[in-house]
Amino acid sequence: MRFWGVPGAGISITRTVTEEARVLVQVRGAIPTTPWELVLTSSRETQFVLAILAVFSLVSWYLIVLKWWQFRKMRQLGDRFLAEVEKAPRLEDAYHAAMRLPPSPYNRLLREAVHFFSELKPGSLKGTGVAPANPAAASATTLTPTQLEALRMVLAKEVAAERDTAARFIPWLATFGSVSPLLGLLGTVLGVMDAFIGIAVGGS
């Protein structure tokens, strides 16, 4: 665009348009166009929060997959254990069948119960690997109420130990799930503060 009769007007307007175009190109180049550029152009505090959240996310997914695999394997072992025990006509046969299976909470619990029962009633179960301490008491196979309560306490202790083993690392998932939203909120606040500072410095 030129104004005839005004010396230098066309050159001035052309120069102004060129400078405005250059500014637009610079501004467009400074605006992030991808999420990765947005992360790279953010403040150090925001990048630090995002890095922590990324680590928490990776660890959480690893623990989720790990526990899923462990519980799936435990369920399969439980099905095999129940199938073997149901086929056994006697407790002694069920014990030997369970001991031939891969280690699992089920056969460990059965082993502790059988060993404790054999200690209470020596000789009542043959071939369990526990030598009778008193052969004269081999004929007695019933347990008194006190012995039943003791057996129940032993089994409850073993169940609690197996439950704690199976629940390992699950509290970490709860911790990550509680802390991550707070860290995300902190990153949002830091980003808004950084934006306000940029507006104040730029004057617009």
Side-chain angles (χ1 to χ4, degrees), residues 19-61:
E19 292 178 354
E20 290 179 354
R22 186 181 304 169
V23 171
L24 289 176
V25 171
Q26 292 177 354
V27 171
R28 182 175 299 177
I31 297 176
T33 57
T34 62
W36 181 246
E37 291 181 357
L38 184 62
V39 172
L40 294 179
T41 56
S42 60
S43 62
R44 292 184 179 180
E45 294 81 4
T46 304
Q47 292 177 354
F48 180 72
V49 172
L50 290 176
I52 295 179
L53 290 177
V55 172
F56 281 5
S57 178
L58 292 176
V59 174
S60 298
W61 278 109

Side-chain angles (χ1 to χ4, degrees), residues 70-83:
Q70 289 179 349
F71 290 151
R72 181 173 177 269
K73 183 179 179 181
M74 190 181 302
R75 186 181 299 110
Q76 293 175 351
L77 292 175
D79 294 339
R80 292 182 59 185
F81 174 82
L82 292 178

